[in-house]
Amino acid sequence: MNINILLQLLLILIAVFIISSKDNLKIVISYSVFSLIAACLYFLYKAPDVALAEIAVGSAIVPLILILSISKQREFIVLNRLEDSFLEASDERSGIGYEILSEFCKYYGLKLKIYKKLPGKANGIFSHRNIDLIVEKHHLSRRYLFKGKESSILMYKLEKLAAPYEDIKVIKLEEGETDEQ
Amino acid sequence: MKNSELLETISRVLYPFILLFGLYIILNGDLSPGGGFQGGTILATAFLTIYLVKSKNTISVKSLLKLEKVLFLMLLFVAVISVFTRGVPFTNFLPLNTQPDIKRVFLIILNILFGLKVATGLIAVFTAFISENEDFDDTY
């Protein structure tokens, strides 16, 4: 019976660690350790059937899906609506906008992805495409507009980075406005 | 996703063993702990290790869902066979006084069908999750 009490204490410790930790990957790994220990406890309390299901689902499938979603979250998706080479990357001379955005992504450890147009239909689980930034050119004042979500904390850093450039303006939109085609 | 060589090699080695273990749990489900659901999830995890090796997916979600529907209909069909042999639905299609070793066949068939159904369902969920951004890459 001593092993059971030890394992239960370990479960409580790991649960506290999961709640207090800030690193995503550490949380996922300790979550799978948590379900492994839970499976051991199920087995010791004579429920091997539940233990098998817990091992397969709790310590393999759920952490895999979580790790995948974390790796997808590391992308910064930009929609390019310009005609000129403001956002184009090349070996000799890349555009000013591209330099700003790549510096911004380097600061946060994100992966920059620039797309020319939206796909026709989205057939994933989520139909709404999550676009972080739209780059446009204003007709009258000939300034470049960076449109992002107001709720995103990252926008403040982008605003600060773009402040020295005269012809760039950062606009923060309400939630849902960025989805218009 | 960036893949390290170590992870790739280990998942290549582990892949057949996980498949075998899943099949073992499905086939012995009527005698020992485990069964269709548990074995199906283990089969699905075996399949998911392929994604760790090569992150591009090659199966379409639609064909997987079609296969799942066919398996579901087969499950219903196996359950209804007993109407014709014994006159009672949703029981063993073999008569009551047969040997237990032969009566086991019914449970094994049900376990195999259910395990395959669970595996295809989980793989379909995971494939839909992975292919979230794939169509996006083609347009660029």
Side-chain angles (χ1 to χ4, degrees):
Chain A
M1 272 326 211
N2 280 328
I3 292 177
N4 290 1
I5 294 166
L6 241 167
L7 285 179
Q8 281 163 14
L9 285 176
L10 206 59
L11 267 191
I12 295 172
L13 276 180
I14 291 174
V16 170
F17 175 75
I18 289 174
I19 292 170
S20 61
S21 179
K22 293 272 188 249
D23 190 357
N24 279 343
L25 210 60
K26 269 183 196 167
I27 291 174
V28 172
I29 291 168
S30 40
Y31 179 80
S32 75
V33 172
F34 182 89
S35 28
L36 260 185
I37 294 173
C40 286
L41 272 173
Y42 285 138
F43 181 74
L44 289 173
Y45 283 121
K46 290 173 184 128
D49 234 352
V50 189
L52 268 174
E54 175 76 30
I55 284 176
V57 175
S59 66
I61 289 180
V62 172
L64 265 174
I65 287 179
L66 287 177
I67 284 176
L68 202 84
S69 51
I70 287 171
S71 72
K72 292 232 155 157
Q73 197 195 13
R74 291 255 165 87
E75 289 170 352
F76 190 76
I77 295 170
V78 178
L79 183 63
N80 185 9
R81 279 186 180 165
L82 298 173
E83 306 292 323
D84 52 5
S85 64
F86 181 64
L87 273 181
E88 259 163 37
S90 61
D91 293 333
E92 308 100 46
R93 258 186 70 226
S94 46
I96 304 164
Y98 182 79
E99 272 175 18
I100 293 173
L101 285 180
S102 58
E103 188 186 339
F104 167 74
C105 287
K106 213 172 172 187
Y107 182 80
Y108 281 107
L110 298 166
K111 215 167 110 194
L112 181 62
K113 281 201 168 181
I114 300 172
Y115 296 104
K116 274 275 184 201
K117 60 183 176 190
L118 280 173
K121 61 178 173 59
N123 55 0
I125 295 174
F126 312 105
S127 55
H128 278 279
R129 187 59 64 186
N130 209 356
I131 292 165
D132 296 302
L133 196 72
I134 299 175
V135 180
E136 277 178 343
K137 196 165 192 180
H138 200 260
H139 297 298
L140 297 174
S141 59
R142 319 280 289 156
R143 293 168 91 187
Y144 296 106
L145 302 179
F146 283 20
K147 286 184 180 173
K149 277 179 197 150
E150 199 189 11
S151 55
S152 177
I153 314 163
L154 304 175
M155 291 305 292
Y156 292 103
K157 176 71 186 170
L158 189 61
E159 217 171 11
K160 217 183 273 178
L161 268 177
Y165 298 95
E166 275 285 306
D167 52 353
I168 295 171
K169 196 180 181 195
V170 178
I171 298 173
K172 281 174 266 179
L173 298 173
E174 293 280 316
E175 197 72 40
E177 256 181 281
T178 46
D179 280 328
E180 39 99 32
Q181 180 90 30
Chain B
M1 245 198 296
K2 235 190 294 171
N3 289 332
S4 71
E5 221 170 294
L6 204 66
L7 182 70
E8 236 183 272
T9 317
I10 292 287
S11 33
R12 278 220 178 98
V13 170
L14 275 180
Y15 172 65
F17 291 104
I18 303 176
L19 264 185
L20 255 183
F21 186 57
L23 285 176
Y24 166 81
I25 282 181
I26 288 178
L27 290 178
N28 281 311
D30 51 334
L31 293 179
S32 62
F37 180 76
Q38 285 89 346
T41 44
I42 290 171
L43 279 187
T45 45
F47 211 82
L48 303 186
T49 51
I50 291 179
Y51 288 122
L52 293 180
V53 177
K54 45 167 191 153
S55 46
K56 270 262 186 225
N57 69 318
T58 47
I59 346 148
S60 69
V61 183
K62 272 185 186 169
S63 58
L64 276 176
L65 289 180
K66 231 174 243 173
L67 183 64
E68 201 192 347
K69 279 168 197 162
V70 170
L71 285 167
F72 178 65
L73 285 180
M74 279 166 77
L75 257 178
L76 274 185
F77 176 71
V78 171
V80 166
I81 286 178
S82 61
V83 173
F84 305 110
T85 55
R86 284 174 59 191
V88 192
F90 305 124
T91 49
N92 201 335
F93 53 78
L94 293 166
L96 264 182
N97 53 357
T98 41
Q99 293 282 325
D101 286 350
I102 302 168
K103 272 166 101 177
R104 232 184 109 191
V105 172
F106 175 70
L107 286 178
I108 291 177
I109 290 172
L110 278 189
N111 266 338
I112 289 173
L113 286 177
F114 196 70
L116 288 179
K117 185 172 147 44
V118 168
T120 45
L122 282 175
I123 291 168
V125 167
F126 207 80
T127 314
F129 209 81
I130 280 183
S131 63
E132 240 287 286
N133 268 352
E134 303 275 289
D135 56 340
F136 222 40
D137 292 332
D138 300 335
T139 54
Y140 183 55

